[in-house]
Amino acid sequence: MNHGRRSWNAVLLVATAVAASLASLDVLPWQMASADGVARMAGYVAGFWPPDTHPDFLLQVAKGSWETLAMALAGTILAAFFGLLLAWPSSHAGGVGRLAKWVLNPLRAVPELVWAAFMVLAAGLGPMAGTLAIALHTTGVLGRLYAETLENAPSAAADALREAGARGWQVMIWGVLPVVLTRLVGYALYRAEMNIRAAAVLGFVGAGGLGQMLYVSLSLFQETRAATLIIATLFLVAAVETLGSQLRRRLDGT
Amino acid sequence: MRGPRREVWGWLLAGLVVWTLFRAAEFDPALLWQGGQGALFDFAAGFWPPAKDGPFLSIVVLAVGQTLAMATAGVFFAAILAWPLALLATPVLAEPPGGVVFRGWCGKWTRAAIRGVLVVMRGIPDLVWALLFVRAVGLGATAAVWALAIAYAGMLGKVYGELFEMAREPAAALLASGSGKTGALVHGVLPVVLPDVISYTIYRWECGIRASVVMGFVGAGGLGQQIELSLRMFEGGQVLTLLLALLILVALADRLSAQLRRAFA
C-alpha cells in the first residue's frame, strides 16, 4: 500500500530526527539533573518571591506597559499605511509588481526581534527602535494580505469608474478601497493584537517597553522586580486576547 | 444623518490618539539621521558582500543544525508534557461525567488548576522563558529546548484538550460498556484525534524553528546567537550570510512540514 508506506517513512524520519537532536544536545533530564543543580534551581526560583509591589516601581511598570502598547499600535499604523502603499503595485502583474513583492518578502521573512536588533543599531536604544521593527515586519505581512485582498475585490464599482474615464488612482480610492476597507481594518486589528505580544519582548535587544525593564532587572539579579514584570506581561497579553476576541465577535456580528 | 461637524470631531480625536501613541513610542525619524545621513548608509553598505569564507560557512552550517535540533527536541518534550496535561484538563475520560480522570485525582478542581497552569505556560512568551532558563542553566541550546518545551506544552495542551473533547462520545460509549480508561483512550480517543494531533504538532515544530532562531538573541544557542555575535562585532557581511541561511531554513522547514502533514493525513 503506497499510502501506508509513505506514512511509515514519515514516522521513521521523525523518529530519526528526534533521536539525532537529543543525541546532539545533552538535554535529557538525567543528563542535566544533579543534586547540586536541583538545589541551585530551587534557590533561583524561590528568589522570585515575593513580587516587588513598591508603588514607585508599579508606576514604572505601568509606564512600561503603556510604552509596549504604544510601540505595537504605532508600528501597526505605520505598517498599515506602507503595506497598502506597497500592496497596490504588488497586486499588478509585470515589473513593478515583482519589485514590490521583492521588497515585501524579506520584510516579512525577517522576525521582529531581528529587525529590532538592527534598528537599535540604526536608531539607538529605546521604543523608537521597537516601533520601527514592528513596522518593518508588519509591513511585509500586511502588504501581502492587502495585495491579496485588492486582487480579489469585487470589481463592479471599479469597472464602472474605469469606463467613465477615471484614472488608476481614482479607481483605487473611489472604486476599490471603499469595498475592501472593513477587510483591511480587520487584518490590521488582528496584527495589532499579535504585535502587542511581540512588543513585550523586543526590549530584550534594547528596543524599549516591558521587555527592556525585564531584561535589565534580570541582569541586575533583581528577581522580585522581574516577577512583577512577568505578571504584568501576562496581564497585558491576557487583556489584549480577551479584548481582541470580543471585538472580533462584535465585528462578525454586524 | 451624521453632521459634517461630528465627522470633523471624529477625525480630530483620531488624530489626537495617533499623535499620543507616536509620542509615547518616542517616534522621531530625525534620530535616524542623527549621525549624519552617512552613518545609516555606511551601516547598510557594510552588509555587502555576504561573508563566504570556509571556516565561517562551517560555523553557519553548525548553527543551522543546532537550531533544527533545538526546535525538534523542544517540540518533542512539549508534546510529551502536553499529553498528560491535556488528559487531566478535559473530562473526556471522566466516569461518570464530571468524575475523575485518574484515580485519586479530584475531577473538577484538578481540571481548573491544570487549565490555569497551561494558561501561564503559554501566556509567558517563549522568549521570556528562554531568558529565565539562560539565567538558570547558562548560555546554550539547553535553555532554548526547555523554554520551547514549556511554552509549547502550554499551547499543545490546550489544543490537544480541545481535540479530546471531540472524542467524548466514543470514549463515553466505551466506558459505559465496561471498558477501562486505557481501553477507552486507545480505542475511543486516539483514532478520532490522532491525525489532528500529529498535524498540529508538526505545525508547531515549524513555528518552533522560527522561535529557536530568535531565542539565540538572549544567548540560547543556534543561528540567532551567531547573528547577535556578528552584529555586535559589526561584521555586516557575516550577518547577511546568516540572514540568508535563516530565510532558506525557514522556507525548507515550511515545505518539509507541509509534506510531513500530507504523509500523515
Side-chain angles (χ1 to χ4, degrees), chain B residues 171-196:
Chain B
L174 279 172
L175 287 174
S177 65
S179 147
K181 306 253 180 196
T182 323
L185 178 65
V186 172
H187 298 112
V189 180
L190 279 190
V192 178
V193 303
L194 205 55
D196 287 330

Side-chain angles (χ1 to χ4, degrees), chain A residues 3 6-7 10-11 13-14 17-18 21-22 24-29 32 40-41 44 48 66-67 69-71 73-74 77-78 106 109-111 113-114 117-119 121-123 126-128 131-132 197 200-201 204-205 214-215 218-219 230 233-234 237, chain B residues 18 20-22 24-32 40 43 47 66 68-70 72-73 76-77 119-120 122-125 127-128 131-133 135-137 141-142 145-146 210 213-214 217-218 227 231-232 234 239 243 246-247 256 260 262-265:
Chain A
H3 180 257
R6 209 167 57 170
S7 70
V11 169
L13 177 68
V14 171
V18 169
S21 303
L22 295 181
S24 74
L25 286 175
D26 290 345
V27 286
L28 291 168
M32 296 168 48
R40 213 156 25 106
M41 191 71 150
Y44 175 66
F48 283 85
W66 165 235
E67 199 173 273
L69 211 62
M71 273 158 57
L73 296 182
I77 291 171
L78 284 174
V110 174
L113 195 88
V114 180
F118 293 154
M119 289 304 113
L121 291 184
M128 157 100 171
T131 310
L132 285 174
R197 222 166 311 164
V201 294
F204 286 9
V205 293
L214 179 56
Y215 194 84
L218 280 173
S219 300
I230 291 173
T233 308
L234 258 175
V237 170
Chain B
V18 171
T20 316
L21 284 174
F22 277 84
E26 294 174 21
F27 195 79
D28 178 13
L31 271 178
L32 287 171
L40 192 61
F43 172 70
F47 279 65
Q66 197 181 32
L68 270 171
M70 278 151 56
T72 311
F76 172 70
F77 286 133
V119 166
V120 173
R122 65 169 182 273
I124 296 179
L127 202 67
V128 174
L131 184 62
L132 291 173
F133 274 108
R135 295 279 188 263
V137 302
T142 309
V145 171
W146 286 105
R210 267 171 252 245
V213 170
V214 166
F217 273 81
V218 295
I227 297 178
L231 203 57
R232 228 185 249 185
F234 293 103
V239 175
L243 282 183
L246 161 70
L247 298 190
L256 181 64
L260 276 177
R262 216 170 313 133
F264 282 117

Side-chain angles (χ1 to χ4, degrees), chain B residues 8 15 72 88 100 132 159 214:
Chain B
V8 168
T72 311
L88 281 171
V100 296
L132 291 173
V159 173
V214 166

Side-chain angles (χ1 to χ4, degrees), chain B residues 90-104:
Chain B
T90 47
V92 61
L93 292 181
E95 176 204 22
V100 296
V101 177
F102 296 124
R103 204 181 297 275

Side-chain angles (χ1 to χ4, degrees), chain A residues 4 7 26 45 57-58 66 77 82 90 97 101 103 128 130 135 142 160 166 170-171 198 223 240:
Chain A
S7 70
D26 290 345
V45 173
F57 181 62
L58 288 184
W66 165 235
I77 291 171
F82 287 107
S90 94
K101 277 190 189 120
V103 176
M128 157 100 171
L142 286 182
Q170 288 168 326
V171 173
E223 273 90 8
V240 166

Side-chain angles (χ1 to χ4, degrees), chain A residues 190-221:
Chain A
Y190 159 73
R191 273 319 293 199
E193 188 186 325
M194 292 181 71
N195 283 343
I196 291 169
R197 222 166 311 164
V201 294
L202 288 185
F204 286 9
V205 293
L210 279 177
Q212 194 164 343
M213 293 173 73
L214 179 56
Y215 194 84
V216 169
S217 66
L218 280 173
S219 300
L220 298 176
F221 301 103

Side-chain angles (χ1 to χ4, degrees), chain A residues 17 21 109 111 114, chain B residues 63-76 126-127 144-145 148-149 152 201-217 220-225 227 245-258 260:
Chain A
S21 303
V114 180
Chain B
V64 169
Q66 197 181 32
T67 301
L68 270 171
M70 278 151 56
T72 311
V75 174
F76 172 70
D126 46 14
L127 202 67
V145 171
L148 267 187
Y152 280 30
T201 311
I202 293 173
Y203 164 70
R204 271 290 148 200
W205 172 77
E206 187 190 321
C207 304
I209 287 186
R210 267 171 252 245
S212 353
V213 170
V214 166
M215 282 178 187
F217 273 81
L223 207 48
Q225 192 165 3
I227 297 178
L246 161 70
L247 298 190
I248 294 170
L249 174 67
V250 169
L252 286 181
D254 280 9
R255 193 169 296 178
L256 181 64
S257 144
L260 276 177

